[in-house]
Amino acid sequence: MTAGYKDDKEDWQAVCLKYLLFVFNFLFWMGGAAVLGVGVWTLVEKSDYLSLLASSTFAVSAYILILAGSLVVVTGFLGCCAVIREQKSCLSTYFLCLLLIFLIELVAGVLAYVYYQKLSEELKHHLNQTMTENYAQPGKGDITLAVDKLQQDFKCCGSNNSRDWLMSVYISSKPAESRVVPDSCCKTIIPLCGKRDHPSNIYKVEGGCITKLEQFLADHLLIIGAVGIGVACLQICGMVFTSCLYRRIKTDPY
């Protein structure tokens, strides 16, 4: 086998690797947009319910995805420059950025999975206490709004059932004006509609709001985990292609 043939073969392999990296960068950008979109959607669309959770793991997972998605934009541009210029220093930096984002997204995925396992227990222990002790209390306006939105959005009343409100600090107070449930439990909200807890007037959902919120959060955590780990796995391909191209380049061109 002649030296010229070897050089031609190596050049052909380097060209293939460059095209593969370009294709990867396109997929990488799309994956980054998905990661960023899921993170923003989770916080903006469903931020009302975050005040009802005992821990901040759900929000932290979303923030991590937003950080990772933002880094993808910069890293994708760096990757294109590294491939075009064929400089080892650029490729090394690109590889390290991929590795960093890979670890960030992996952390987000693992956090989402771990919290998914603890979600049911947390809601059972925390949601009822939050609703009965903090609803309509001074300085707890965010929780009050979150509970009202929760009951209206999911058409539920009380953490387990409507009778949970009988233990509420709010229902026992004068401002309740003889209500037995908050007005947000009513199918049609009008002032003081919470005085009557008949099924024709309020939502009587089996399992209460805990079941509804748990299912909702579980679905979102699965999406966060799947997107984070899925894009992280995609980056493994990028790191492999980058390593191969790095080995094909003998010296940095001047």
Side-chain angles (χ1 to χ4, degrees):
M1 184 180 291
T2 65
Y5 178 78
K6 287 182 179 179
D7 290 340
D8 289 342
K9 183 178 179 182
E10 288 182 0
D11 288 343
W12 177 81
Q13 290 174 340
V15 169
C16 285
L17 286 171
K18 286 174 67 175
Y19 278 114
L20 283 173
L21 266 178
F22 271 120
V23 171
F24 165 76
N25 260 320
F26 174 71
L27 296 175
F28 188 42
W29 269 322
M30 291 181 63
V35 167
L36 185 60
V38 168
V40 171
W41 169 63
T42 299
L43 290 180
V44 173
E45 181 78 7
K46 311 304 175 187
S47 59
D48 297 315
Y49 304 134
L50 297 181
S51 60
L52 301 177
L53 304 179
S55 71
S56 58
T57 308
F58 185 79
V60 168
S61 298
Y63 280 121
I64 290 175
L65 287 185
I66 291 174
L67 172 63
S70 301
L71 288 175
V72 164
V73 177
V74 178
T75 304
F77 176 75
L78 176 63
C80 288
C81 293
V83 173
I84 293 171
R85 300 182 67 181
E86 293 189 15
Q87 287 186 324
K88 284 192 170 184
S89 57
C90 285
L91 286 172
S92 298
T93 305
Y94 179 57
F95 180 89
L96 290 175
C97 287
L98 285 179
L99 181 60
L100 175 62
I101 298 173
F102 169 81
L103 294 175
I104 290 174
E105 289 175 344
L106 202 58
V107 167
V110 170
L111 276 177
Y113 177 77
V114 170
Y115 188 59
Y116 177 81
Q117 303 299 313
K118 302 191 306 181
L119 179 61
S120 179
E121 203 63 29
E122 177 186 311
L123 288 178
K124 287 176 182 176
H125 284 84
H126 183 74
L127 186 60
N128 184 55
Q129 181 181 1
T130 298
M131 294 174 75
T132 57
E133 294 182 6
N134 297 320
Y135 183 84
Q137 298 306 299
K140 302 294 183 180
D142 57 335
I143 291 179
T144 302
L145 290 173
V147 171
D148 286 339
K149 183 174 174 58
L150 174 69
Q151 295 192 139
Q152 280 295 298
D153 286 353
F154 294 127
K155 296 179 171 44
C156 58
C157 183
S159 56
N160 295 290
N161 54 62
S162 60
R163 292 189 299 277
D164 291 337
W165 284 112
L166 296 176
M167 306 298 294
S168 166
V169 174
Y170 166 68
I171 294 300
S172 304
S173 65
K174 284 186 178 180
E177 300 181 65
S178 301
R179 291 179 177 87
V180 289
V181 294
D183 290 346
S184 57
C185 282
C186 299
K187 296 178 179 178
T188 302
I189 296 180
I190 57 174
L192 299 177
C193 65
K195 285 187 172 184
R196 194 168 69 94
D197 62 353
H198 192 272
S200 63
N201 184 52
I202 69 169
Y203 294 114
K204 295 274 190 177
V205 177
E206 187 67 31
C209 293
I210 284 181
T211 303
K212 295 283 189 177
L213 184 57
E214 180 182 352
Q215 185 59 53
F216 167 81
L217 292 176
D219 291 343
H220 276 65
L221 286 170
L222 285 176
I223 293 173
I224 291 175
V227 169
I229 293 176
V231 175
C233 292
L234 176 65
Q235 286 167 231
I236 294 176
C237 298
M239 287 187 280
V240 171
F241 296 150
T242 303
S243 299
C244 292
L245 184 59
Y246 182 92
R247 288 198 295 269
R248 293 291 174 187
I249 299 172
K250 293 182 174 60
T251 57
D252 289 332
Y254 295 99

